[in-house]
Structures are given as structure tokens and as C-alpha cells.
Amino acid sequence: MKRILMLTLLSTIFFSAYSQVDLKYQTPPQEIMELADTKQPPRVQMNEEGTYALLMYRNQYKSIEELSETELRLGGLRINPVTNIYSRTRYFNKIEILDVKNEKNTEIKNLPEKVRLSNFSWSPDQSKMAFTNTTHKGVELWVLDIKEALATKITEDNLNANVGIPYEWFRNGSALLVKTLPKDKKELIDKTISIPTGPTVSINEGQKAQNRTYQDLLKDKSDEFNFEQLARSDIYKVDLNGSKTLWKETAMYRQLSFSPDGNYILVTTIERPFSYIVPYYRFPQTTMIYDKQGKEVKKILEVPLIEELPKGFMAERKGMRDLNWRADKPATLYWAEVLDEGDPEIEVEYRDEIFELNAPFTAEKRSLLKTKNRFYQLNWGNDKIAIAIDFWWNNRNVKAYVFNPSDSKQEPKIIQDYNYQDRYNDPGTPQMVRNEYGKRVLLLEGSNMFLIGDGYSDEGIRPFIDEFNIETKESNRLWQADGKETLESIYAIKDIKEGKILTRIESKSRYPNYYFRNIKTGGVIPVTQFENPFKSLQGVHKEVIKYKRDDGLELSGTLYLPVEYEEGKKYPMVMWAYPEEFKDKSTAGQVTSSEHEFVYPWYGSPIFWVTRGYVVLDDASFPIVGEGEEEPNDSFIPQLVANGKAAIDAVDELGYIDRNKVAVGGHSYGAFMTANLLTHSNDYAAGIARSGAYNRTLTPFGFQSEERNYWEAPEIYYEMSPFMHADKMKTPLLLIHGAADNNSGTYTMQSERYFNALKGLGATVRLVLLPKESHGYVARESVLHTLWEQDQWLEKYVKNKELKK
């Protein structure tokens, strides 16, 4: 009998230590629940004139029931094949019109009681707003008259929203081009019951295809068939009364783009052959030019299947790319072409050349300029002034060129040349304004353009507006926020002559609201007056602290003290961070957070735990620096450990914490960071790692900011992988992962295999897989359970940690 009892006891211990836990969704403690489940103010979309704004309301989370709707994962897309829209769409369930001048909210007339709204788009004159409503069986198109606050349904629920936005406005706003499901759409193949006709075979004949580890790819002929059926559409012209005429026959349409004058339209279609190793946007594509009646004008571009590219983040394909319309001309196309074979390893004076072609598209292309780095974007002004921007990831360089589009003989002038990670010296972004075509062009006064900057500095964040003379390259600061008690962000210049701008003002206890500010008189007029929904955090102490790493590198973090902080008492701490790679120490140490930013407890934030008696250090600096020929990851582990130690030392010196009770956590690359810190440091009581990757050999062709492949730097991949050092793990680790993660590299398998390794080696570890969730978590049940899991872990292994005597 004794032996039987002993065996029963041992089996019970084994079961509790190693088996799965049968657990239903849990909710966190009341202090956290009050913050996590709060109804929040709407999003705001304001028209250019600043006279009307659309207020858009939605539930903070989806439900697990919504997340469990039918989903197919094909070619990098996630599709609901019943409703034919992106299956993870975050819908709005209520909209209102705000009359800004009269400060009046008006409910929309004629909408159904229950709606799921998405795909919002202003008409060219901004008198109307189009949007889609998803019913239980499909997607329908609606148009909202802004002044009348009247919504009208103009199609049945037969739109195809599987690939991109399913409609495009005609220039005069009287009709839209709409993608609808074709009448000959075939029934999809159910792979759970279909019988294979043969194996799936992939081949390669010597080409190098060093692609990232994409997810949701096509896997076989059944997937190919289903993808094609879901991508195929007819295109109809639909007027505002709902009358429709067939505009273009069935094809796999990806993108529709009208010329500014509305007389031509670029239509891009997806073609075969498909691929099993890259997403749909790298499948073959054809771009045609049609007139507005649908008559073919010219085939402008054919792009082959892109499975092979040169190595490196700055690699590009050959031929025309970034094809688009000039915003300042009726119907002129522009695009970029590589001058270095698309290979960043080839040394050339210029990387790209920009060309243009005017309607009717029969002449020879005309060169506009060449860029030293890889072309990024073009800001059009007028016939005499345009701004081209390029960048080069390897040295973090950005250049801005001013050039004369009408005279290609004039040499472009470089007016900005800077490191885009150097936030303190960022010159700002050119302000744009709508022109007669309804397109965005540079706001210009003679040779002056206007730059809006974030205003990062060692003293805080002070956004600014500069008047910049293109000829002399001289700046004149028109206005800058004082940044003493609030954080004021600039959203748009509404009238530069009058000095009227739209800003958003917030503080750590003042919910963000929109205001019209006059930078000449100093006057401020409120546009919105949203209440703070997080009252319990209003009195929380918040400050940005600065400290140094052992090598002298300046670091910072945002420190919060517990809600009922008692001076002199030592508290446990939660530190949350995300590593970032830099090429020089001067930019790595810059402060990019503000103590005046509103304390917003979104689902992934650690802020909740100030209500549970913890000090919180959020956004702790974790720079990884590699200067000159050295790459940041060459010394990833020692820098990571040094960053964490410096943060703990800094808060400990302030007298707030018991340094034996410090937890570290992070999401995605922050989860990878967390696992490495627990593996290579004894500074932590526990860790929380959400949706991370832990074995870098499973991402052999690069990850995060690492360009080198595994075979070029095997020691880096090995040393950086916490999976390879699982035998060193002695600190409790909570692993959380979405069971349907679609992020490149962070397969759910990463957490599963890491858990198995830690379990096999006797570590204290818990793995929580959230059904149906992707890389970020959206279901209410999942989010609340995640908060409960984290709280339970922190209470057991940090706050109530048993210290060794």
C-alpha cells in the first residue's frame, strides 16, 4: 500500500510539473481590468479645410468569436472566403460627423443598426466619404454625404476586398470603379476532404533565392486554385445612385490608380506563375494604362516573378519600379530604375535614375535626375520645383534633392544630407497641400517650402515649423512648441499666411485632443474635447530618466512609480524594452520619449502594473551599436547585458526598487531580447517573452537588421540564439505566442521548440498559446487572459520571490 501511495504521489508531481493545464480564459485583477476594458474616444479624420471631421468609433478588441470566423491563408494574405475581405480587419461600428465651426456632433442617417465599417476614402473634393460595410455574407459599398450626414448604399454585398482597397473614385466624384466578385467564380477546394493527385515538387537550378522566412505562403495546387478564385474580380463603374456598367472583364486585379485629371487609370493585375516561397506581391504583374471609358491605351509594365534578388536590404529588381502619377500634372507617369543592377555590393556613383512619360505615352521616356542612394519618394511642387528623397540603410543616410522637373539639364541640388537615426538633427518633413486635382503637393511660397519636425532634443520633444529657402538653404523657425508642461504635435498647416495650424495637445494626465493654433497670435481653439478614460492613472508619477552604460553611452527610459507610492519603500520593478541597431554611438544615445506623453495603457504596455505595486521602466534604451566595419550584432550579447544592468543600476540608485525583484519583458524582438538577458545575466527575477523568435538558424537568410546569412556568420547566429544556450537558463520565463502568428520569422513553432528545450533541461517555464491570434493580439478574451498570465507570473516569481538566505 505504501508503494502504491508513493507511486501515486510521484505521478501527481510529474503531471503537475510537465503536463498541459486545462484552463479557460481568465481575466486580470480589478485594478488592471478597469484600465484594459475601458471604452475609448473615437479616431478623427479631418478634411483639408478643417471644417468637418469624421469621428470613428470601434470596440477596443475583437471577440474570439469574430477571430474564429473562416480564414484562408494564401500567398501572404489572410482572407475570409465567406465575406471576401481581409480576415483580420478592425472594423468601426459607429461614425459621426463633427461640424468643427459649430462644435456639433451629428449622427449618420440611413446606416443599418449594426455595421462593420472599413476602407474609408475621401472623394476628390472631400464633400463625400466612401466606405465599405461587411455583412454576414459579403462587402457592400456606401457613400456618405458629409454636409447632409446621409449615407447611401450603392452596391450589394458582392465586393472583392481580398486584395487591396476594392474601389477608386473617379476624378469628378460622380462615380467609382468597384471590384466585384465575378459571376463565374468557382467553389473553393476544401483541402480537408480533397484527395491529392500527386506530390508537391519545388526545384531550383542554381539560382540564389535568399528570402526571409515568409508565412502564409501557397503550398500546393489547391492553394493556387483557391488564391486565383479569391483574387479574381470584375470591375464596374458605379454611380452615386447605384447604377452600374461593366468597365473591365475578369482578372486578378491588385491596384487601380487614376491620373490626377481623371482621364487615365493604371490597372495592375497579378499573373501566373505563382510561387511557394514569396508572397503574392512578388508574383508576376502587368500594369496597363486605360482611358476612363476602359479602352486600352498602353501596356506600360510587365514584372516577372521575383524569387531571386541580390543579397542585402538595399537590393532591388531591374526595370521600372515605383510607377506612379505626378501629382502636379494632369497625366504624367514617373518611376525609378536601378543603375547598379539592383545589387548594393556593386559600387557606382548613382544607384537609381528617375524617369517620366507624358500622356499619350507614345514618346521616349525622359530622365529627371539620378540619386546617389536608393530612391525613396518624390514630393512634387510645380514645373520648377520638386523634391526627391533617397536613402541607404547600411549607413542610415538620407538625401533630399531639389530639382527642376521642366529642365533636366539643371543639376539637382542636395538640400538635406543626414543620418535618419539622428533624431536631434532631423530637418523635418515638407508640408503638403491639396492642389486642383485633389492630390498632395508641396506647400510653396516662391522658393520657400515649409518643414514640420518632431523637435527631439536632450531637453525634450518640441515640434517645430521651419520656413526653408530652397535657393539659399537657409531656415527660419516660424514656431516651436515650448514643451514645458505638454506635448504638442503638429498635424498640418491649414493656412500659412494666417498662421493657422492643426495640433494635438496632451500631457501625462490629459487625454490627447485636437486644436487650431495661430502661430502668429498664440491663440488656441479646441476642435475635440475627449475625456480621459483612464482616471486611475492621473496621479501616477512619470519621468524620463537618463543614465549611462559602462562604456559611457547615454541611455534613457520612462519611469513610473506605483499608484500609491510610499517614499522610502523598496518596490519590485517591471522593465520593458525593444533593442534597436545603430551605426554610431552619438545617435544611439538620443532621447526620443517625453514625460508629457499621455499615459496610455494599451494591451501590450507594462503600465498596468503601477496599479499592482510595481515600479515600471518602459521604453528602456537598448541600443546595439556597431561602428565602422563592425556590425551591431558582432557584440549583441555583451551590449544587451550592459544595457539592462545600466537601467537597473539607475533606478536602484534612485532608491525606488529592490534590485533582487526585477522582471524584464518584451514583444517580438523584445521577447528575443528577454530570453537572451535571462540566459546571459543574473540580474532578473523573471521574464515575460511574447511572440518572439529564439532559434536564429530557423531564419537563416537574415533577421531584424541582420543582412548576413547563417553561412556567412554562423557564430553570430549561434551566439544570439537563446535556444542554443537553453542549458544556461535558470530564471523563470513566461512564453506567450499567438497560435496563428504570421510575422516573418516569429513562427509559433519558435516558442514551442524553445519551451520544449527549456522543459527538457529542467528550467522554470510556462508556454501560453493564444488560439487564432496573430503576431499582435486582438480578441478581448486573449488580451485579458494575457494580462492575467503576466500578472500571475509577476506576483509569483517577482513580487513574492523567495530570496536565498
Side-chain angles (χ1 to χ4, degrees):
M1 181 61 70
K2 273 186 170 181
R3 186 176 179 186
I4 291 172
L5 287 172
M6 182 61 70
L7 287 171
T8 302
L9 178 61
L10 286 172
S11 65
T12 302
I13 294 171
F14 181 85
F15 182 85
S16 64
Y18 289 96
S19 70
Q20 281 71 42
V21 178
D22 185 13
L23 186 67
K24 295 186 183 301
Y25 288 112
Q26 301 293 306
T27 57
Q30 187 61 28
E31 305 97 311
I32 293 177
M33 191 71 175
E34 287 177 0
L35 296 172
D37 213 25
T38 301
K39 186 176 180 180
Q40 297 182 23
R43 293 194 177 188
V44 179
Q45 273 205 40
M46 186 174 292
N47 65 2
E48 189 81 15
E49 294 178 357
T51 53
Y52 290 97
L54 189 68
L55 304 182
M56 308 161 68
Y57 300 82
R58 72 182 182 192
N59 295 331
Q60 188 172 359
Y61 312 113
K62 282 177 171 284
S63 68
I64 196 65
E65 182 181 4
E66 285 180 281
L67 208 59
S68 299
E69 291 177 354
T70 306
E71 179 179 77
L72 291 180
R73 304 169 189 175
L74 301 167
L77 293 171
R78 293 192 167 185
I79 293 169
N80 183 327
V82 177
T83 54
N84 288 286
I85 191 170
Y86 173 56
S87 57
R88 307 272 165 157
T89 300
R90 294 296 307 277
Y91 295 109
F92 294 91
N93 54 23
K94 180 183 175 182
I95 54 175
E96 292 178 332
I97 296 293
L98 170 62
D99 183 331
V100 175
K101 183 178 180 182
N102 297 317
E103 300 181 13
K104 180 183 177 182
N105 287 14
T106 304
E107 289 194 11
I108 309 301
K109 299 185 287 287
N110 202 38
L111 276 176
E113 185 176 345
K114 291 185 178 181
V115 293
R116 294 197 294 174
L117 309 179
S118 59
N119 294 309
F120 289 83
S121 176
W122 289 102
S123 63
D125 66 357
Q126 296 197 331
S127 67
K128 298 177 178 63
M129 176 76 81
F131 56 87
T132 62
N133 177 45
T134 302
T135 70
H136 68 282
K137 64 176 183 177
V139 179
E140 54 193 24
L141 183 61
W142 289 69
V143 172
L144 169 65
D145 185 298
I146 299 295
K147 287 185 179 180
E148 300 296 325
L150 177 66
T152 304
K153 186 177 78 167
I154 65 170
T155 74
E156 298 302 316
D157 45 5
N158 65 340
L159 270 62
N160 187 341
N162 291 327
V163 185
I165 189 166
Y167 66 87
E168 182 77 14
W169 281 98
F170 273 82
R171 169 73 184 90
N172 60 11
S174 65
L176 303 97
L177 282 185
V178 182
K179 295 194 292 185
T180 65
L181 299 171
K183 291 183 174 59
D184 64 348
K185 180 184 175 184
K186 296 181 176 65
E187 187 175 344
L188 301 181
I189 296 172
D190 184 346
K191 293 178 66 174
T192 63
I193 61 174
S194 63
I195 299 174
T197 59
T200 299
V201 179
S202 299
I203 64 169
N204 190 64
E205 297 179 342
Q207 301 92 340
K208 289 184 178 181
Q210 299 189 14
N211 295 300
R212 290 285 176 119
T213 46
Y214 298 113
Q215 301 202 45
D216 297 342
L217 300 177
L218 302 182
K219 297 179 177 64
D220 51 38
K221 291 296 181 182
S222 295
D223 281 352
E224 290 192 48
F225 176 85
N226 287 344
F227 175 84
E228 184 166 16
Q229 292 305 307
L230 292 166
R232 293 167 75 247
S233 303
D234 293 333
I235 300 182
Y236 280 86
K237 178 181 179 180
V238 183
D239 68 22
L240 301 187
N241 296 316
S243 298
K244 65 178 185 178
T245 55
L246 183 65
W247 191 83
K248 194 53 59 184
E249 61 281 351
T250 308
M252 290 182 284
Y253 295 104
R254 181 183 175 193
Q255 189 174 12
L256 311 174
S257 175
F258 273 102
S259 61
D261 65 4
N263 290 327
Y264 301 94
I265 182 167
L266 287 176
V267 177
T268 300
T269 55
I270 300 168
E271 311 290 345
R272 282 182 174 272
F274 301 150
S275 171
Y276 295 179
I277 65 172
V278 294
Y280 79 96
Y281 51 81
R282 289 174 64 173
F283 293 176
Q285 296 179 42
T286 299
T287 301
M288 305 289 297
I289 304 174
Y290 298 99
D291 66 19
K292 59 185 177 182
Q293 284 78 35
K295 181 181 177 182
E296 181 179 325
V297 175
K298 184 176 183 177
K299 181 188 289 186
I300 192 71
L301 177 60
E302 284 187 287
V303 179
L305 175 64
I306 308 170
E307 287 188 337
E308 300 98 27
L309 282 173
K311 187 171 71 71
F313 294 149
M314 301 313 300
E316 264 296 353
R317 64 173 177 82
K318 299 176 185 178
M320 300 168 68
R321 76 173 200 280
D322 299 326
L323 181 66
N324 212 331
W325 298 104
R326 273 188 63 165
D328 63 326
K329 288 289 187 180
T332 298
L333 289 168
Y334 74 94
W335 66 90
E337 295 183 24
V338 297
L339 297 173
D340 58 2
E341 302 295 311
D343 187 347
E345 295 295 320
I346 296 176
E347 295 294 332
V348 293
E349 184 178 3
Y350 296 100
R351 294 286 177 181
D352 283 344
E353 187 168 6
I354 317 303
F355 297 93
E356 73 169 13
L357 182 63
N358 296 319
F361 318 108
T362 54
E364 291 294 316
K365 64 184 181 183
R366 188 172 76 91
S367 176
L368 292 173
L369 79 158
K370 297 177 181 178
T371 59
K372 293 182 178 294
N373 296 325
R374 192 67 75 213
F375 170 70
Y376 177 62
Q377 72 178 41
L378 243 165
N379 296 322
W380 297 99
N382 53 43
D383 273 341
K384 304 295 183 184
I385 296 175
I387 306 293
I389 300 171
D390 67 17
F391 84 106
W392 198 249
W393 178 85
N394 304 73
N395 59 7
R396 313 311 197 252
N397 181 247
V398 171
K399 291 181 173 63
Y401 309 74
V402 63
F403 68 100
N404 185 338
S406 62
D407 185 0
S408 56
K409 293 182 180 179
Q410 286 189 27
E411 284 293 319
K413 292 191 298 184
I414 295 176
I415 57 172
Q416 294 174 351
D417 190 349
Y418 63 99
N419 180 334
Y420 67 75
Q421 287 186 317
D422 184 2
R423 307 300 295 275
Y424 287 3
N425 293 299
D426 190 325
T429 302
Q431 172 67 7
M432 311 297 282
V433 66
R434 285 176 71 245
N435 63 7
E436 67 271 28
Y437 303 117
K439 303 297 183 181
R440 307 283 289 174
V441 295
L442 291 167
L443 174 60
L444 296 169
E445 281 195 350
S447 296
N448 291 326
M449 67 176 183
F450 301 88
L451 303 173
I452 294 178
D454 292 322
Y456 291 107
S457 71
D458 198 42
E459 286 75 41
I461 302 176
R462 299 181 59 203
F464 61 83
I465 300 174
D466 280 354
E467 183 181 53
F468 180 82
N469 188 285
I470 292 168
E471 298 296 330
T472 65
K473 301 184 185 179
E474 293 181 355
S475 286
N476 173 35
R477 184 138 299 175
L478 301 180
W479 179 81
Q480 186 165 21
D482 66 21
K484 292 179 180 178
E485 296 180 354
T486 62
L487 174 61
E488 185 165 5
S489 307
I490 305 165
Y491 269 68
I493 297 173
K494 291 299 180 182
D495 189 329
I496 193 62
K497 292 181 180 179
E498 296 293 325
K500 183 179 179 181
I501 66 173
L502 177 67
T503 71
R504 192 180 81 161
I505 302 176
E506 63 189 288
S507 73
K508 58 187 174 184
S509 60
R510 177 178 170 183
Y511 192 84
N513 273 289
Y514 294 89
Y515 299 82
F516 285 131
R517 172 181 286 280
N518 191 303
I519 62 176
K520 293 184 177 180
T521 67
V524 176
I525 301 173
V527 176
T528 61
Q529 299 184 46
F530 303 135
E531 293 287 330
N532 179 2
F534 306 111
K535 302 288 187 183
S536 63
L537 293 179
Q538 277 192 300
V540 169
H541 175 86
K542 175 185 179 182
E543 64 175 309
V544 174
I545 63 170
K546 300 173 185 177
Y547 49 95
K548 290 185 179 181
R549 205 164 72 178
D550 288 343
D551 60 359
L553 182 63
E554 297 278 353
L555 302 176
S556 64
T558 305
L559 181 70
Y560 302 83
L561 297 184
V563 169
E564 297 180 356
Y565 170 72
E566 298 177 23
E567 190 170 353
K569 183 177 178 180
K570 302 284 188 178
Y571 290 88
M573 182 172 80
V574 178
M575 178 170 67
W576 210 262
Y578 190 94
E580 187 176 0
E581 295 85 349
F582 293 86
K583 286 300 292 178
D584 63 90
K585 288 184 178 179
S586 63
T587 58
Q590 294 181 354
V591 181
T592 57
S593 54
S594 169
E595 63 186 29
H596 303 311
E597 188 176 3
F598 180 71
V599 180
Y600 185 86
W602 63 287
Y603 92 85
S605 166
I607 301 302
F608 297 102
W609 281 276
V610 299
T611 69
R612 299 281 289 161
Y614 293 81
V615 169
V616 171
L617 185 65
D618 196 14
D619 292 327
S621 296
F622 266 75
I624 309 296
V625 186
E627 297 187 302
E629 294 298 315
E630 182 184 10
E631 292 298 325
N633 286 341
D634 291 349
S635 53
F636 179 85
I637 298 299
Q639 289 196 65
L640 203 69
V641 172
N643 289 330
K645 181 178 182 300
I648 296 171
D649 287 346
V651 184
D652 187 32
E653 287 174 13
L654 292 172
Y656 295 138
I657 63 169
D658 178 347
R659 69 175 301 139
N660 294 307
K661 295 183 177 182
V662 175
V664 62
H667 189 93
S668 194
Y669 208 55
F672 173 71
M673 168 204 76
T674 298
N676 268 309
L677 284 172
L678 300 193
T679 302
H680 300 285
S681 169
N682 295 317
D683 292 331
Y684 307 93
I688 299 171
R690 297 195 313 245
S691 298
Y694 309 103
N695 183 349
R696 298 279 47 139
T697 68
L698 297 177
T699 55
F701 290 109
F703 57 89
Q704 199 70 5
S705 294
E706 179 57 67
E707 282 191 305
R708 296 168 293 188
N709 66 42
Y710 169 77
W711 296 272
E712 292 173 314
E715 68 287 351
I716 299 297
Y717 278 68
Y718 179 85
E719 289 300 327
M720 289 181 67
S721 296
F723 179 89
M724 304 300 181
H725 307 282
D727 58 324
K728 298 177 183 177
M729 174 67 80
K730 306 300 179 188
T731 307
L733 175 62
L734 172 62
L735 294 167
I736 303 176
H737 216 121
D741 195 333
N742 68 336
N743 185 55
S744 177
T746 56
Y747 293 106
T748 307
M749 171 183 67
Q750 288 270 7
S751 285
E752 292 172 321
R753 291 188 177 177
Y754 187 40
F755 170 79
N756 286 335
L758 293 172
K759 173 182 170 181
L761 293 165
T764 300
V765 61
R766 180 180 176 95
L767 172 63
V768 180
L769 297 181
L770 301 171
K772 310 294 183 178
E773 293 290 355
S774 185
H775 193 58
Y777 318 144
V778 298
R780 180 177 181 273
E781 294 86 346
S782 303
V783 170
L784 297 181
H785 185 86
T786 296
L787 294 172
W788 177 83
E789 289 280 359
Q790 293 175 139
D791 186 71
Q792 295 290 304
W793 197 256
L794 293 171
E795 290 291 295
K796 182 175 182 179
Y797 292 108
V798 182
K799 182 185 288 186
N800 299 305
K801 175 185 178 183
E802 295 183 8
L803 301 179
K804 294 179 181 179
K805 295 181 181 180

